[in-house]
Amino acid sequence: MKLGILGYGNLGRGVESAIRQNDDMELVCIFTRRDPASLHPATEGVAVYSVDEIPNMQGKIDVLVLCGGSATDLPEQTPEYAKYFNVIDSFDTHARIPEHFANVDQTAKEHGHVAMISCGWDPGMFSIMRLYGSAVLPEGNDYTFWGKGVSQGHSDAIRRVAGVKNGKQYTVPVEEALSSVRNGENPTLTTRQKHTRECFVVAEEGADLARIEQEIKSMPNYFADYDTTVHFISEEEFMEKHAGIPHGGFVFRTGVTGLTTEHHHVIEYSLKLDSNPEFTSSVILAFARAIYRLSKEGVSGCKSVFDIAPAYLSPLSGEELRAHLL
Amino acid sequence: MKLGILGYGNLGRGVESAIRQNDDMELVCIFTRRDPASLHPATEGVAVYSVDEIPNMQGKIDVLVLCGGSATDLPEQTPEYAKYFNVIDSFDTHARIPEHFANVDQTAKEHGHVAMISCGWDPGMFSIMRLYGSAVLPEGNDYTFWGKGVSQGHSDAIRRVAGVKNGKQYTVPVEEALSSVRNGENPTLTTRQKHTRECFVVAEEGADLARIEQEIKSMPNYFADYDTTVHFISEEEFMEKHAGIPHGGFVFRTGVTGLTTEHHHVIEYSLKLDSNPEFTSSVILAFARAIYRLSKEGVSGCKSVFDIAPAYLSPLSGEELRAHLL
C-alpha cells in the first residue's frame, strides 16, 4: 500500500520510520506547508510537495496520514483531504471527537473514502482497552493513568512563564494509587491523588527562581490541582537528560462476577514507551492497513479504532492468525 | 437477546451468573446430558431440558453457549448445534483450532448462523493482545505467562497418582522472568525459566509421601520440565484454602522503533482473576452479543475473536462509545 504523510514534525518523522518496519507499505511522498526544498526526508527517493499539490496526487496514494495538531490543523485537514484519499489522523481533543467524527464522516462518505480519526494510544489503544474492559466486566470501575512521560501541553505552559529558557514536564502516576487499584480496592481518587507533575526548568540568567516556581505551581488547569515539583537545571543537563519524548500509562478495569458478586477481577494494560510519537505512528500504520482493506471492500465513511476487527490490523491471513496467535 | 446454555458445570454456572449482569440478555434454558430433574439452576424460572430437545428450541434462542470440554464435547457439539442456532464455545486445544474452525464454519454457513470458537481469555483476550501487539510493533518479541492460577489438567494429573486423595496445582510465573521481559531485556526463556508448578496434595492415610512426590515431579509433559514443589496438607486445609479456581497471566509485546531502531517499547496486558470460569463466561457473553448482532446483519459462518470489531461487544451505541470511551 502507498502512503503519504502531511506534516513533517515529530509524528510525521515517526510515521516515516515506522513505514520502513512494514514490508507491505511504501512511503510515496511528504506534503508540507513549509518550503518543500527545506525538508530532507530520512528515506531516499521520497518526494516532498507543497500542500497545494495534494489534490494532484489523487489515485497515487492509498492512505494519507495526517500528522498535524488537534487544535487547528486536523479539524480543517481531515475532512478536506478525505475528499481525495483514505485518511487517518490522531485527533486527541476528547471533547470534540463527536463533532470531528461527524464532519469527517460526511466528506468521506460523499467521496467514497474511509477515514479514521483519533488513532494512537490515547485516544487509541487505551480506548480499545476501556471498551473491552467495560464490555467484559459490566459491573466494575475504570481507571486510566498516564506516565511517566512528557506532556507537551504542560511543557509548553512552563516555557511561557517569564524567565524560563527551556522546560519539560513529566506526568507521573502516583504509586500508591496504582497499587490500590491493582489490589482491587476500587479507590475514589482525586486529581491530586492520581498524578504528580515534575518540571525541569532552565532559567534565564538572573531570573527570580522562587517567582518562576511559584508561577508554575499555581497555574490554573495545568498545575494548581497537582502536587508539582520544580527542578532548576543547567542547559547542558537539560539537553543530556531530557531530550527524549518518553510516555506511557495504565488502563485498568476492575470488576466483580458471581451470583453474589463475590469474585474480583483486575484487568491491567500498560505501555512503557521510549518515544511517544514513534509508538503513536506505529499504531497509526496498523490502522492505516485496516482502513485500506476496508476501502478495497467498498466501505466508506469515518471509523474509530472501535470499528476495526483486530484481524484487519495484521499483514497475516486469517488462517495464519488462527494457527499462530489464537 | 435470548440465550441457552449447554452443560451446567463450572463454565455453565459462570455463564448463568454473568447473564444477570447484562441487562440486554435473558437466559431461556439450560440443556444437559444428565437427568434434567437433577439440575437446579440458580436463576428462577429457567427451564432445564435434555440435550435431545435442542432441535425443538430452534427460533427460541438467539445464541447457544456451549460449555462442554475441548477434548471430546466441543468438536462434536459446536458444528452440530450451529445447525440450529448461533453458537459460541471456548475451545482451547490450540493445535486443533484450524480443524475445528473449518468444521464449524461449514455447518454455520450452510444453516445461515454465526458461530464463534475459542472465546475466553486464552484463547480469547490474550490472543487479541498478541495480535494487537504484533501489528503495532512489527519488530519485537511476544511473551505469554500464565498464573498464578489453577491448572485443571495438572490438578487432574496429580489426582491420578496412586495414594492421592485430592490435589490442586498452581502454575506460577517466575518473577525474575517477568521482570526481565518488563525491563525490555528480550530474554530467551526455557520452559523451566518461565513457570514453576506448585502442588497441594491430600494423601490417603498411610500412603508413601516420598513416592507420591517423586511420581508427580517426574511426570513427563506435566511436571518433569518444571521446578515443582509438592506440599502435603490436610483435607481441612485443602477445603479451606484451595477451593477456588483463580487464574490469570500476562501478555507482553516488546519492540523497537526509530530510524536506527533505537527506541524500546513494552506493552503489557495482565489478568488477575478470582474465578477463571466466571471471567471466561463474562468474555463469552460480550462476544455472544457481537455474534448476535452480526447474525442480524445477515452474516454467517465461523468467527474468532480476531474478526470482531470492539464496538460490537458493548451495549452502548457508536455515538456513546465515541463520546465516553474514545
Side-chain angles (χ1 to χ4, degrees), chain A residues 16-18 20-22 42-43 94 97-98 101 117-118 122-132 134-139 142 182-184 256-259 261-276 278-279 282-283 286-287 289 304-315 318-319 321-326, chain B residues 16-18 20-22 42-43 94 97-98 101 117-118 122-132 134-139 142 182-184 256-259 261-276 278-279 282-283 286-287 289 304-315 318-319 321-326:
Chain A
E16 180 187 19
S17 67
R20 298 170 169 220
Q21 296 183 295
N22 288 282
T43 312
H94 290 260
I97 284 175
F101 186 92
I117 64 160
S118 303
D122 197 359
M125 295 311 301
F126 273 18
S127 321
I128 291 171
M129 295 305 140
R130 287 187 285 261
L131 173 41
Y132 277 121
S134 65
V136 162
L137 292 175
E139 279 188 64
D142 287 305
R182 204 173 271 141
N183 293 335
V256 291
T257 63
L259 282 174
T261 60
E262 70 274 29
H263 292 129
H264 295 255
H265 308 281
V266 179
I267 306 173
E268 176 174 352
Y269 180 80
S270 71
L271 296 174
K272 211 162 57 189
L273 312 174
D274 271 1
S275 165
N276 182 354
E278 287 178 8
F279 186 79
S282 299
V283 176
F287 282 92
R289 179 182 289 121
S304 81
V305 292
F306 297 153
D307 303 312
I308 306 299
Y312 280 92
L313 302 173
S314 171
E319 289 76 17
L321 291 174
R322 286 190 295 275
H324 304 299
L325 293 182
L326 192 61
Chain B
E16 180 188 19
S17 67
R20 298 170 169 220
Q21 296 184 294
N22 288 282
T43 312
H94 289 261
I97 284 175
F101 185 93
I117 64 160
S118 304
D122 196 1
M125 295 310 302
F126 274 19
S127 321
I128 292 171
M129 294 307 141
R130 289 187 283 261
L131 174 41
Y132 277 122
S134 65
V136 162
L137 291 175
E139 279 188 65
D142 287 306
R182 204 172 272 141
N183 293 335
V256 292
T257 63
L259 282 175
T261 61
E262 70 274 29
H263 291 128
H264 295 254
H265 308 281
V266 179
I267 306 174
E268 176 175 351
Y269 179 80
S270 71
L271 296 174
K272 212 163 55 188
L273 312 174
D274 272 1
S275 165
N276 182 353
E278 288 179 7
F279 186 78
S282 300
V283 176
F287 282 93
R289 179 181 290 121
S304 81
V305 293
F306 296 153
D307 303 312
I308 306 299
Y312 280 92
L313 304 172
S314 170
E319 289 75 17
L321 291 174
R322 286 191 295 275
H324 303 300
L325 293 182
L326 194 59

Side-chain angles (χ1 to χ4, degrees), chain A residues 27-45:
Chain A
L27 176 58
V28 173
C29 64
I30 299 166
F31 298 106
T32 179
R33 287 179 294 198
R34 290 181 268 169
D35 173 10
S38 72
L39 246 68
H40 304 287
T43 312
E44 212 150 326

Side-chain angles (χ1 to χ4, degrees), chain A residues 272 274, chain B residues 139-143 145 174-189 193 252-256 263-268:
Chain A
K272 211 162 57 189
D274 271 1
Chain B
E139 279 188 65
N141 291 295
D142 287 306
Y143 296 91
F145 292 86
V174 174
E175 200 50 58
E176 292 73 28
L178 282 177
S179 300
S180 174
V181 171
R182 204 172 272 141
N183 293 335
E185 294 165 14
N186 289 310
T188 303
L189 298 164
Q193 286 171 324
F252 292 90
R253 177 72 177 183
T254 59
V256 292
H263 291 128
H264 295 254
H265 308 281
V266 179
I267 306 174
E268 176 175 351

Side-chain angles (χ1 to χ4, degrees), chain B residues 35-74:
Chain B
D35 172 11
S38 71
L39 246 68
H40 303 286
T43 312
E44 213 149 327
V46 168
V48 182
Y49 299 122
S50 156
V51 287
D52 306 331
E53 300 290 324
I54 291 182
N56 304 329
M57 290 301 284
Q58 191 162 12
K60 294 173 190 154
I61 292 171
D62 297 313
V63 180
L64 179 64
V65 184
L66 301 169
C67 300
S70 296
T72 56
D73 299 337
L74 299 175

Side-chain angles (χ1 to χ4, degrees), chain B residues 1-7 11 15 31 54-55 57-59 61-68 73-91 100-120 283-296 299-305 307-308:
Chain B
M1 51 186 287
K2 295 178 193 303
L3 291 138
I5 291 172
L6 169 53
L11 188 61
V15 172
F31 298 106
I54 291 182
M57 290 301 284
Q58 191 162 12
I61 292 171
D62 297 313
V63 180
L64 179 64
V65 184
L66 301 169
C67 300
D73 299 337
L74 299 175
E76 300 278 330
Q77 292 174 346
T78 316
E80 172 63 19
Y81 299 125
K83 293 178 184 167
Y84 308 106
F85 317 98
N86 302 311
V87 294
I88 185 165
D89 79 21
S90 58
F91 185 79
H100 187 49
F101 185 93
N103 292 339
V104 175
D105 193 45
Q106 194 183 338
T107 41
K109 278 186 178 143
E110 279 169 17
H111 294 83
H113 294 123
V114 183
M116 175 170 284
I117 64 160
S118 304
C119 186
V283 176
I284 286 174
L285 288 191
F287 282 93
R289 179 181 290 121
I291 66 168
Y292 173 56
R293 288 175 171 176
L294 286 175
S295 162
K296 286 204 293 186
V299 173
S300 70
C302 190
K303 304 289 167 190
S304 81
V305 293
D307 303 312
I308 306 299

